mmCIF file of all heavy atoms in Angstrom:
data_model
loop_
_atom_site.group_PDB
_atom_site.id
_atom_site.type_symbol
_atom_site.label_atom_id
_atom_site.label_comp_id
_atom_site.label_asym_id
_atom_site.label_seq_id
_atom_site.Cartn_x
_atom_site.Cartn_y
_atom_site.Cartn_z
ATOM 1 N N ALA A 299 7.880 37.144 17.877
ATOM 2 C CA ALA A 299 8.717 38.221 17.432
ATOM 3 C C ALA A 299 8.253 39.587 17.939
ATOM 4 O O ALA A 299 8.979 40.404 18.356
ATOM 5 C CB ALA A 299 8.859 38.188 15.922
ATOM 6 N N ASN A 300 6.907 39.790 17.790
ATOM 7 C CA ASN A 300 6.296 41.023 18.199
ATOM 8 C C ASN A 300 6.420 41.204 19.692
ATOM 9 O O ASN A 300 6.662 42.366 20.186
ATOM 10 C CB ASN A 300 4.824 41.131 17.735
ATOM 11 C CG ASN A 300 4.663 41.173 16.234
ATOM 12 O OD1 ASN A 300 5.551 41.752 15.567
ATOM 13 N ND2 ASN A 300 3.591 40.607 15.736
ATOM 14 N N THR A 301 6.230 40.227 20.431
ATOM 15 C CA THR A 301 6.172 40.317 21.884
ATOM 16 C C THR A 301 7.624 40.538 22.417
ATOM 17 O O THR A 301 7.835 41.397 23.352
ATOM 18 C CB THR A 301 5.664 38.944 22.570
ATOM 19 O OG1 THR A 301 4.387 38.724 22.078
ATOM 20 C CG2 THR A 301 5.739 39.014 24.009
ATOM 21 N N LEU A 302 8.622 39.883 21.899
ATOM 22 C CA LEU A 302 9.941 40.052 22.345
ATOM 23 C C LEU A 302 10.800 41.055 21.602
ATOM 24 O O LEU A 302 11.952 41.342 21.775
ATOM 25 C CB LEU A 302 10.695 38.691 22.248
ATOM 26 C CG LEU A 302 10.027 37.549 23.041
ATOM 27 C CD1 LEU A 302 10.814 36.258 22.911
ATOM 28 C CD2 LEU A 302 9.932 37.907 24.549
ATOM 29 N N LYS A 303 10.161 41.806 20.616
ATOM 30 C CA LYS A 303 10.845 42.838 19.877
ATOM 31 C C LYS A 303 12.034 42.273 19.082
ATOM 32 O O LYS A 303 13.072 42.892 19.149
ATOM 33 C CB LYS A 303 11.224 44.025 20.747
ATOM 34 C CG LYS A 303 10.083 44.612 21.648
ATOM 35 C CD LYS A 303 8.944 45.097 20.777
ATOM 36 C CE LYS A 303 7.873 45.679 21.640
ATOM 37 N NZ LYS A 303 6.640 46.057 20.768
ATOM 38 N N LEU A 304 11.831 41.072 18.530
ATOM 39 C CA LEU A 304 12.928 40.513 17.689
ATOM 40 C C LEU A 304 12.473 40.308 16.300
ATOM 41 O O LEU A 304 11.264 40.342 16.043
ATOM 42 C CB LEU A 304 13.181 39.089 18.335
ATOM 43 C CG LEU A 304 13.786 39.024 19.769
ATOM 44 C CD1 LEU A 304 13.848 37.583 20.228
ATOM 45 C CD2 LEU A 304 15.190 39.679 19.829
ATOM 46 N N SER A 305 13.430 40.073 15.422
ATOM 47 C CA SER A 305 13.064 39.835 14.051
ATOM 48 C C SER A 305 12.526 38.366 13.937
ATOM 49 O O SER A 305 12.875 37.517 14.753
ATOM 50 C CB SER A 305 14.235 39.961 13.134
ATOM 51 O OG SER A 305 15.209 39.012 13.445
ATOM 52 N N LYS A 306 11.793 38.096 12.860
ATOM 53 C CA LYS A 306 11.292 36.682 12.682
ATOM 54 C C LYS A 306 12.530 35.755 12.496
ATOM 55 O O LYS A 306 12.434 34.665 13.017
ATOM 56 C CB LYS A 306 10.510 36.753 11.374
ATOM 57 C CG LYS A 306 9.929 35.339 10.985
ATOM 58 C CD LYS A 306 9.150 35.448 9.703
ATOM 59 C CE LYS A 306 8.713 34.011 9.230
ATOM 60 N NZ LYS A 306 8.004 34.054 7.963
ATOM 61 N N ALA A 307 13.538 36.205 11.850
ATOM 62 C CA ALA A 307 14.721 35.334 11.662
ATOM 63 C C ALA A 307 15.432 35.015 13.025
ATOM 64 O O ALA A 307 15.853 33.936 13.214
ATOM 65 C CB ALA A 307 15.748 36.055 10.730
ATOM 66 N N SER A 308 15.459 36.044 13.941
ATOM 67 C CA SER A 308 15.979 35.792 15.261
ATOM 68 C C SER A 308 15.209 34.773 16.028
ATOM 69 O O SER A 308 15.870 33.841 16.639
ATOM 70 C CB SER A 308 16.079 37.115 15.973
ATOM 71 O OG SER A 308 16.919 38.002 15.365
ATOM 72 N N VAL A 309 13.859 34.859 16.049
ATOM 73 C CA VAL A 309 13.081 33.933 16.742
ATOM 74 C C VAL A 309 13.365 32.575 16.185
ATOM 75 O O VAL A 309 13.495 31.526 16.908
ATOM 76 C CB VAL A 309 11.622 34.269 16.560
ATOM 77 C CG1 VAL A 309 10.737 33.172 17.115
ATOM 78 C CG2 VAL A 309 11.261 35.630 17.266
ATOM 79 N N THR A 310 13.309 32.393 14.833
ATOM 80 C CA THR A 310 13.540 31.099 14.179
ATOM 81 C C THR A 310 14.895 30.455 14.597
ATOM 82 O O THR A 310 15.009 29.269 14.753
ATOM 83 C CB THR A 310 13.402 31.200 12.689
ATOM 84 O OG1 THR A 310 12.164 31.799 12.332
ATOM 85 C CG2 THR A 310 13.593 29.880 12.002
ATOM 86 N N SER A 311 15.830 31.305 14.707
ATOM 87 C CA SER A 311 17.233 30.862 15.100
ATOM 88 C C SER A 311 17.284 30.256 16.447
ATOM 89 O O SER A 311 18.200 29.540 16.849
ATOM 90 C CB SER A 311 18.226 31.985 14.890
ATOM 91 O OG SER A 311 18.150 32.954 15.914
ATOM 92 N N TYR A 312 16.352 30.612 17.378
ATOM 93 C CA TYR A 312 16.279 30.180 18.688
ATOM 94 C C TYR A 312 15.337 29.056 18.909
ATOM 95 O O TYR A 312 15.194 28.569 20.033
ATOM 96 C CB TYR A 312 15.929 31.279 19.737
ATOM 97 C CG TYR A 312 17.161 32.198 19.965
ATOM 98 C CD1 TYR A 312 17.245 33.452 19.411
ATOM 99 C CD2 TYR A 312 18.110 31.770 20.845
ATOM 100 C CE1 TYR A 312 18.322 34.279 19.687
ATOM 101 C CE2 TYR A 312 19.225 32.619 21.206
ATOM 102 C CZ TYR A 312 19.289 33.881 20.616
ATOM 103 O OH TYR A 312 20.369 34.681 20.815
ATOM 104 N N LEU A 313 14.749 28.518 17.818
ATOM 105 C CA LEU A 313 13.847 27.437 17.913
ATOM 106 C C LEU A 313 14.467 26.193 17.333
ATOM 107 O O LEU A 313 15.310 26.272 16.414
ATOM 108 C CB LEU A 313 12.550 27.725 17.080
ATOM 109 C CG LEU A 313 11.676 28.882 17.727
ATOM 110 C CD1 LEU A 313 10.501 29.098 16.764
ATOM 111 C CD2 LEU A 313 11.202 28.517 19.081
ATOM 112 N N PRO A 314 14.160 24.949 17.739
ATOM 113 C CA PRO A 314 14.797 23.761 17.269
ATOM 114 C C PRO A 314 14.286 23.515 15.766
ATOM 115 O O PRO A 314 13.247 23.991 15.348
ATOM 116 C CB PRO A 314 14.228 22.710 18.155
ATOM 117 C CG PRO A 314 12.878 23.237 18.632
ATOM 118 C CD PRO A 314 13.180 24.732 18.818
ATOM 119 N N TYR A 315 15.130 22.705 15.098
ATOM 120 C CA TYR A 315 14.696 22.337 13.791
ATOM 121 C C TYR A 315 13.510 21.487 13.826
ATOM 122 O O TYR A 315 13.367 20.567 14.657
ATOM 123 C CB TYR A 315 15.853 21.506 13.101
ATOM 124 C CG TYR A 315 17.019 22.236 12.585
ATOM 125 C CD1 TYR A 315 18.256 22.369 13.296
ATOM 126 C CD2 TYR A 315 16.897 23.049 11.470
ATOM 127 C CE1 TYR A 315 19.281 23.055 12.913
ATOM 128 C CE2 TYR A 315 18.011 23.876 11.039
ATOM 129 C CZ TYR A 315 19.175 23.906 11.707
ATOM 130 O OH TYR A 315 20.249 24.609 11.300
ATOM 131 N N LYS A 316 12.567 21.700 12.959
ATOM 132 C CA LYS A 316 11.239 21.067 12.988
ATOM 133 C C LYS A 316 11.408 19.603 12.738
ATOM 134 O O LYS A 316 10.624 18.740 13.203
ATOM 135 C CB LYS A 316 10.264 21.684 11.968
ATOM 136 C CG LYS A 316 9.896 23.083 12.338
ATOM 137 C CD LYS A 316 9.083 23.697 11.296
ATOM 138 C CE LYS A 316 7.661 23.039 11.107
ATOM 139 N NZ LYS A 316 6.831 23.719 10.160
ATOM 140 N N LYS A 317 12.389 19.165 11.909
ATOM 141 C CA LYS A 317 12.619 17.767 11.675
ATOM 142 C C LYS A 317 13.696 17.118 12.446
ATOM 143 O O LYS A 317 14.043 16.007 12.213
ATOM 144 C CB LYS A 317 12.959 17.631 10.090
ATOM 145 C CG LYS A 317 11.852 18.045 9.143
ATOM 146 C CD LYS A 317 12.165 17.783 7.758
ATOM 147 C CE LYS A 317 11.107 18.255 6.798
ATOM 148 N NZ LYS A 317 11.422 18.063 5.348
ATOM 149 N N GLY A 318 14.165 17.823 13.445
ATOM 150 C CA GLY A 318 15.245 17.304 14.275
ATOM 151 C C GLY A 318 14.651 16.576 15.387
ATOM 152 O O GLY A 318 13.463 16.391 15.634
ATOM 153 N N VAL A 319 15.553 15.808 16.086
ATOM 154 C CA VAL A 319 15.148 15.118 17.271
ATOM 155 C C VAL A 319 15.156 16.016 18.458
ATOM 156 O O VAL A 319 16.101 16.220 19.104
ATOM 157 C CB VAL A 319 16.136 13.909 17.516
ATOM 158 C CG1 VAL A 319 15.695 13.064 18.682
ATOM 159 C CG2 VAL A 319 16.364 13.100 16.291
ATOM 160 N N TYR A 320 14.027 16.552 18.736
ATOM 161 C CA TYR A 320 13.853 17.531 19.788
ATOM 162 C C TYR A 320 12.671 17.139 20.728
ATOM 163 O O TYR A 320 11.616 16.659 20.326
ATOM 164 C CB TYR A 320 13.564 18.909 19.243
ATOM 165 C CG TYR A 320 13.283 19.944 20.293
ATOM 166 C CD1 TYR A 320 14.316 20.551 21.043
ATOM 167 C CD2 TYR A 320 11.993 20.373 20.593
ATOM 168 C CE1 TYR A 320 14.042 21.459 21.992
ATOM 169 C CE2 TYR A 320 11.660 21.325 21.550
ATOM 170 C CZ TYR A 320 12.728 21.839 22.279
ATOM 171 O OH TYR A 320 12.491 22.757 23.266
ATOM 172 N N PHE A 321 12.959 17.225 22.035
ATOM 173 C CA PHE A 321 11.817 16.950 23.000
ATOM 174 C C PHE A 321 11.884 18.040 24.052
ATOM 175 O O PHE A 321 12.857 18.622 24.376
ATOM 176 C CB PHE A 321 12.264 15.596 23.673
ATOM 177 C CG PHE A 321 12.203 14.408 22.781
ATOM 178 C CD1 PHE A 321 13.419 13.905 22.208
ATOM 179 C CD2 PHE A 321 11.041 13.698 22.423
ATOM 180 C CE1 PHE A 321 13.423 12.802 21.371
ATOM 181 C CE2 PHE A 321 11.042 12.654 21.523
ATOM 182 C CZ PHE A 321 12.223 12.215 21.045
ATOM 183 N N GLN A 322 10.677 18.212 24.511
ATOM 184 C CA GLN A 322 10.461 19.305 25.528
ATOM 185 C C GLN A 322 11.236 19.006 26.799
ATOM 186 O O GLN A 322 11.679 17.830 27.041
ATOM 187 C CB GLN A 322 8.979 19.424 25.858
ATOM 188 C CG GLN A 322 8.117 19.741 24.687
ATOM 189 C CD GLN A 322 8.431 21.064 24.138
ATOM 190 O OE1 GLN A 322 8.987 21.949 24.758
ATOM 191 N NE2 GLN A 322 8.104 21.357 22.888
ATOM 192 N N SER A 323 11.454 19.982 27.652
ATOM 193 C CA SER A 323 12.197 19.774 28.823
ATOM 194 C C SER A 323 11.482 18.715 29.823
ATOM 195 O O SER A 323 12.176 18.331 30.677
ATOM 196 C CB SER A 323 12.402 21.133 29.574
ATOM 197 O OG SER A 323 11.126 21.741 29.892
ATOM 198 N N THR A 324 10.237 18.502 29.603
ATOM 199 C CA THR A 324 9.514 17.572 30.440
ATOM 200 C C THR A 324 9.499 16.206 29.893
ATOM 201 O O THR A 324 8.880 15.274 30.395
ATOM 202 C CB THR A 324 8.082 18.115 30.631
ATOM 203 O OG1 THR A 324 7.487 18.230 29.357
ATOM 204 C CG2 THR A 324 8.040 19.401 31.385
ATOM 205 N N ALA A 325 10.167 15.975 28.727
ATOM 206 C CA ALA A 325 10.135 14.640 28.084
ATOM 207 C C ALA A 325 10.753 13.566 29.015
ATOM 208 O O ALA A 325 11.643 13.890 29.860
ATOM 209 C CB ALA A 325 10.850 14.681 26.810
ATOM 210 N N GLU A 326 10.342 12.361 28.876
ATOM 211 C CA GLU A 326 10.967 11.276 29.672
ATOM 212 C C GLU A 326 12.413 11.165 29.288
ATOM 213 O O GLU A 326 12.775 11.386 28.155
ATOM 214 C CB GLU A 326 10.225 9.900 29.380
ATOM 215 C CG GLU A 326 8.690 9.887 29.686
ATOM 216 C CD GLU A 326 8.464 10.012 31.213
ATOM 217 O OE1 GLU A 326 9.369 9.621 32.004
ATOM 218 O OE2 GLU A 326 7.392 10.509 31.510
ATOM 219 N N LYS A 327 13.313 10.802 30.272
ATOM 220 C CA LYS A 327 14.664 10.812 30.026
ATOM 221 C C LYS A 327 15.069 9.833 29.042
ATOM 222 O O LYS A 327 16.213 9.867 28.451
ATOM 223 C CB LYS A 327 15.405 10.535 31.363
ATOM 224 C CG LYS A 327 15.170 9.200 32.050
ATOM 225 C CD LYS A 327 15.863 9.113 33.375
ATOM 226 C CE LYS A 327 15.607 7.802 34.081
ATOM 227 N NZ LYS A 327 16.302 6.682 33.375
ATOM 228 N N GLU A 328 14.256 8.757 28.816
ATOM 229 C CA GLU A 328 14.568 7.661 27.828
ATOM 230 C C GLU A 328 14.602 8.311 26.389
ATOM 231 O O GLU A 328 15.100 7.694 25.511
ATOM 232 C CB GLU A 328 13.591 6.523 27.878
ATOM 233 C CG GLU A 328 13.668 5.707 29.194
ATOM 234 C CD GLU A 328 13.072 6.370 30.300
ATOM 235 O OE1 GLU A 328 12.321 7.350 30.105
ATOM 236 O OE2 GLU A 328 13.255 5.871 31.475
ATOM 237 N N LYS A 329 13.891 9.460 26.239
ATOM 238 C CA LYS A 329 13.847 10.053 24.942
ATOM 239 C C LYS A 329 14.787 11.136 24.615
ATOM 240 O O LYS A 329 14.765 11.687 23.532
ATOM 241 C CB LYS A 329 12.341 10.670 24.767
ATOM 242 C CG LYS A 329 11.236 9.572 24.775
ATOM 243 C CD LYS A 329 9.925 10.250 24.595
ATOM 244 C CE LYS A 329 8.767 9.223 24.571
ATOM 245 N NZ LYS A 329 7.402 9.857 24.403
ATOM 246 N N ILE A 330 15.668 11.422 25.563
ATOM 247 C CA ILE A 330 16.665 12.505 25.266
ATOM 248 C C ILE A 330 18.012 11.969 25.286
ATOM 249 O O ILE A 330 18.301 10.864 25.786
ATOM 250 C CB ILE A 330 16.471 13.615 26.371
ATOM 251 C CG1 ILE A 330 16.767 13.091 27.757
ATOM 252 C CG2 ILE A 330 15.091 14.259 26.273
ATOM 253 C CD1 ILE A 330 16.694 14.158 28.796
#
């Protein structure tokens, strides 16, 4: 938030749900 000059809420809104099914862009295709 400090680096991008955004509010904490804004940063959180652009992050995936912690309990959701989320994989990084480098994840194996079988997992997405």
Side-chain angles (χ1 to χ4, degrees):
N300 291 333
T301 299
L302 301 180
K303 307 301 181 185
L304 296 172
S305 67
K306 179 182 174 182
S308 293
V309 171
T310 303
S311 72
Y312 280 103
L313 293 177
Y315 284 106
K316 294 174 66 176
K317 294 183 179 179
V319 183
Y320 174 76
F321 297 97
Q322 302 295 339
S323 59
T324 55
E326 300 293 335
K327 63 184 181 67
E328 291 80 9
K329 294 182 178 181
I330 62 177

